[in-house]
Structures are given as structure tokens and as C-alpha cells.
Amino acid sequence: MGAAEITLFVDTVSPFAYEAFHILCNDAAFRDVRKTYVPVFLGGLMKMCGNTPPIQIKNKDAWIIQERLRWARAFDVPMAAENPPNFPPNTLQVMRAVCGVADDQEKLCALLERLYHEFWVNHVQVAQPDAFVPIFKEVLGTETAERILAEAATKGKATLTKNTDHAFSTGAFGLPWMVCTNAKGETEGFWGIDHFGHVARFLGLPKPGNTGGWKSVL
């Protein structure tokens, strides 16, 4: 039997994708799980499935801010209380660039961690080239970053479209969307931070401690 696997689809605009990414990277419950992170364009995914962004729904727009903060506190995810200015931004350019490192998961994780932190903690407008270009250079090195950024409008564009189409084909309608395969080879899709308990049970992971965010999902 193979190891448990999780594919998490991500976009820097989604606070819940950020929280899921942080949990998978840092929580001991997922230490032995094989994890793959796939950059997508959330705006395109939402359009494909006819979904309405929560911030455009009356009452839910206010509720969703409190919801992201509840989960951030529960799982110790660094996050500012207020939404970033001009939220939500169009992340098409930055996510095309992020696709350039998707084949190197170690570098991708380092880049995502930095982009998420800058946007959701420091409110840096990472969707804008004048903000994300220096971050790419700092995290990846100037030579690698310049090559990736130069290919973003062609190779990155194609990869982002392919990834977003793939997310949709697996059943995604928003983020965080996780496609999980257990040791039996069974595969299911899960949406939302509040479904991490179901994810852990499906993957047959040892029961996490009844602390922090796990109190809310087990």
C-alpha cells in the first residue's frame, strides 16, 4: 500500500487556501503525508463553475472575515485582522509567475509561504509586479527569478490554465480544494478548513491531539 497523498490547489488571494497550506506545512498530523501544491487562478475557477465570491454576497461578506480569523487563531496561522486594501485583487499575473516553480515543490513552498505572509500579514500587494518581482528574486535568486518571470506570459499562462482546468475536473468549486488518496488507493475531494477532520480520517492518519483547531473539526 502506498503513502497517503494530498494535492492542495492554491491561489494567494484565498485566505482559506493560505490557512490550509500553513496547516499542511506545519501540523504534525500531516508530517508523513505526501503533499503536492498546485497553483491555480481562483477567479477563473469560480467563473467556470458559476460560483459567486463570498465577498460579493450580502452578510456573508462580513461573516467570512470573522470565519478566516477563527480558523487562523485555532491553527496558529499568522494573519492580520483586516482584509488587505483593495481586496480581492486580480492574481492572474502573480499566479502565472508562481507556476514557473511548480515543478520544484521545495521552492514553490518557500515562495508561497513568503507571498502568503506578505499579503495576509503585512498587506503587501503581492498581486502587483512591483511587489512580487522583488519577492521572487529574494526567494529564488535573481537569475532563476528573471527566467521564470520572463516565461510567465507564455509558459506560465499555459500552466495556470491547465492547472485551473484540472482543479475544475476534479470537482473544485472554490479554495481550499484538496484531492486526497489514502493507502488503499481510494481518492476523494474535500473542500474547506472545516473538513480537515474528514481528511485525516479518510487518509487513516493517527488521531490528532484534541487541541487548537482540531477541537473544532474532530
Side-chain angles (χ1 to χ4, degrees), residues 149-170:
L149 292 166
E151 296 174 343
T154 52
K155 185 177 179 180
K157 177 182 178 180
T159 301
L160 186 63
T161 299
K162 179 181 177 181
N163 289 353
T164 305
D165 288 345
H166 175 59
F168 179 75
S169 74
T170 66

Side-chain angles (χ1 to χ4, degrees), residues 25-216:
C25 288
N26 294 284
D27 197 288
F30 300 102
R31 180 179 53 219
D32 297 324
V33 176
R34 184 179 302 144
K35 298 174 283 286
T36 302
Y37 304 104
V38 179
V40 298
F41 179 46
L42 180 57
L45 176 62
M46 299 285 277
K47 184 175 181 180
M48 291 171 73
C49 57
N51 205 349
T52 301
I55 201 167
Q56 295 179 10
I57 301 173
K58 288 185 181 298
N59 292 337
K60 193 173 185 179
D61 57 349
W63 174 87
I64 205 74
I65 296 174
Q66 295 303 315
E67 183 71 354
R68 69 170 174 82
L69 292 174
R70 290 187 191 105
W71 290 111
R73 288 192 294 266
F75 281 100
D76 294 321
V77 181
M79 183 172 287
E82 297 181 353
N83 273 341
N86 304 312
F87 183 81
N90 184 321
T91 57
L92 190 60
Q93 283 185 289
V94 66
M95 295 312 298
R96 285 175 176 175
V98 169
C99 283
V101 293
D103 290 338
D104 188 328
Q105 287 286 303
E106 184 176 354
K107 289 182 180 178
L108 176 62
C109 285
L111 184 60
L112 285 172
E113 183 176 8
R114 178 68 182 278
L115 290 169
Y116 274 132
H117 188 87
E118 293 294 350
F119 186 56
W120 286 105
V121 179
N122 298 331
H123 287 177
V124 175
Q125 297 297 297
V126 300
Q128 301 301 318
D130 61 348
F132 74 71
V133 168
I135 292 173
F136 272 66
K137 291 181 178 180
E138 290 175 18
V139 174
L140 305 174
T142 300
E143 183 177 348
T144 299
E146 288 181 345
R147 174 180 56 80
I148 287 169
L149 292 166
E151 296 174 343
T154 52
K155 185 177 179 180
K157 177 182 178 180
T159 301
L160 186 63
T161 299
K162 179 181 177 181
N163 289 353
T164 305
D165 288 345
H166 175 59
F168 179 75
S169 74
T170 66
F173 51 86
L175 299 180
W177 179 253
M178 294 165 279
V179 175
C180 304
T181 302
N182 61 26
K184 299 177 183 178
E186 300 167 331
T187 298
E188 288 188 13
F190 297 85
W191 178 81
I193 300 296
D194 53 341
H195 283 80
F196 262 113
H198 292 299
V199 169
R201 280 188 289 270
F202 175 75
L203 293 177
L205 304 180
K207 187 175 181 179
N210 190 26
T211 59
W214 291 110
K215 288 183 179 181
S216 301

